[in-house]
Amino acid sequence: MGRGRTAPRTCAAGAVCAALIAGSVVGLAPAAQAAPSVRFVDIAGEGGTVLKANVVTPAGADDAHRYPLIVLPTSWALPQVEYIAQARELADAGYVVLTYNVRGFWQSGGRIEVAGPPDTADASKVIDWALAHTPADPGHVGMAGVSYGAGISLLTAAQDKRVRAVAALSGWADLIDSIYSGRTQHLQAAAVLDGAATLTGRESAELREIFDNLYASDLTTEQQMIDWGRKRSAATYVDQLNKNGAAVMLANAWGDTVFPANQYASFYEKLTVPKRLQLRPGDHATPELTGLFGLPNDVWTDTGRWFDHYLKGTDNGVDREQPVRLKSRSAGGYEGYPDWKSVTATRRKLALTGSTTIHANVDSGADGGIVFLSSILDQVAQLPPMASMPLLPRRWAAVWQSERYGATQRVRGTAHLHTTLTPTGESGTLVAYLYDVGPLGIGKLVTHAPYTWHGRTPGAPFGVDLDLFSTAYDVPAGHRLAMVVDTVDPLYAEHNPSGAQLTFSSPEDDPSYVSVPLGEQ
């Protein structure tokens, strides 16, 4: 964004505030340049719940002029000063910016509702307050946020017609497809969220029950969890969001271990409003992180351009660019596509031939990595989780490999697994992995996904169809792809009974395969 910065006039949040705004002093403006006004306020949310907030207004702003308003709800477990550097950038660009700590966290009142009705009602109350107490323009209101703030922003835009533009960064559109995809509990991700909430906030009784049921893998409460998640998913209200007409920008990371990119891509396809989908390497909220410290950041730059066009009417060309923008995990800049379908237009099938039986309950060594750490390593050093194909024990892992490719292959989009499975138990879990395998047999993880079933007849075959997590990855010439299936991954809950076996087959009338969105570079 490149606009000059000076330190804010006031800050009442102590050491945490100082740490988060440290980046805002990078590239100080000349001393004579006026700084945006920053003040900390209390806002009465739904039911009178106190929300701690800060308001940043353009330098010299007065009630004689109206400015577009941007509301920024905080991320899960982060304090109200999270966005102070970006708020000052936006204020420099002519916006009134109000950031607030969502209910249940830090000094705000109430309990954590996980973007439930009280949270969207709070957001509308915050907009009310801003319109009454700042020089904000009621006809030009936007919302943005990272993670939790992204989810609340999307949900509020579906409920409050005043929101005309949204930038949802590293968020979710389908909560159940995020933490329970493939009908499998994402245990590490849930534990991180639960732990952070316990340390920095106050969980509601409903949320505590959801976490407990998730850990217990209690099928009798499964529908309760699904209903709870649907109420908190923008995908449930996509028709209302389309009707309200807010312009929606979605940004996420390929390796997001909390909110996988698939659910954003599916939601994007259902939107009929002005829209943009931006995906790049990283894990949960890491693509936006440097921008929170006031450093150059392409996601926040594009967020500013999005608001400049849809709130201020600036003809900056953002509406004429290819709306789907992807950055490969391997190298290079953003690639543009007219829609998500065009990303996966070219597909090739890797046949999963023969009949293979594996034993359950033991980790074969093929894993999706460690929440946050693995995808961050991939983002900064191109070091995804790895496994040796020759050394994977075939007792616990099924392995199929392609021929070597003569040219670089571009994986773009969502790979799909189709196979016939015969289990020895009525319930079970498998995890499918797609690897890029080099000449020495070392595989780098391209993508993966878990799959769980219940209520099946032991010994009876059934079809499995599983979308692996979407990605963008370049397979070098001379390498091959490998599909690996095992039953244990530390990221996920396992539902295989002790001693269970899984048999994968490929009937003539229904052959097994993995379909990969693959094209030569």
Side-chain angles (χ1 to χ4, degrees), residues 324-471:
V324 177
R325 291 167 52 81
L326 313 180
K327 183 180 286 189
S328 170
R329 290 164 47 205
S330 304
Y334 281 103
E335 305 162 0
Y337 299 85
D339 49 45
W340 180 250
K341 291 180 180 179
S342 299
V343 176
T344 61
T346 303
R347 307 189 72 92
R348 297 183 188 176
K349 288 185 178 180
L350 168 61
L352 309 182
T353 57
S355 179
T356 303
T357 298
I358 63 173
H359 295 251
N361 314 121
V362 174
D363 190 341
S364 72
D367 288 321
I370 301 172
V371 66
F372 291 121
L373 177 61
S374 296
S375 292
I376 291 175
L377 283 174
D378 187 34
Q379 177 183 2
V380 301
Q382 294 183 19
L383 289 175
M386 292 185 284
S388 171
M389 296 302 108
L391 296 182
L392 285 177
R394 275 22 180 203
R395 178 179 176 84
W396 296 298
V399 182
W400 299 267
Q401 296 192 72
S402 72
E403 298 297 323
R404 296 188 188 278
Y405 296 109
T408 299
Q409 304 293 307
R410 292 157 41 105
V411 180
R412 298 291 187 273
T414 309
H416 179 81
L417 169 67
H418 173 76
T419 190
T420 297
L421 172 63
T422 305
T424 58
E426 66 173 14
S427 296
T429 299
L430 63 84
V431 187
Y433 308 88
L434 186 66
Y435 283 97
D436 159 27
V437 183
L440 298 180
I442 302 300
K444 292 184 176 181
L445 187 63
V446 177
T447 182
H448 77 287
Y451 179 88
T452 294
W453 65 92
H454 297 286
R456 293 290 180 175
T457 303
F462 65 93
V464 171
D465 284 283
L466 173 63
D467 282 340
L468 279 62
F469 298 139
S470 302
T471 194

Side-chain angles (χ1 to χ4, degrees), residues 251-267:
N252 207 348
W254 293 120
D256 195 316
T257 45
V258 180
F259 304 128
N262 291 46
Q263 47 90 33
Y264 251 12
S266 298
F267 178 68

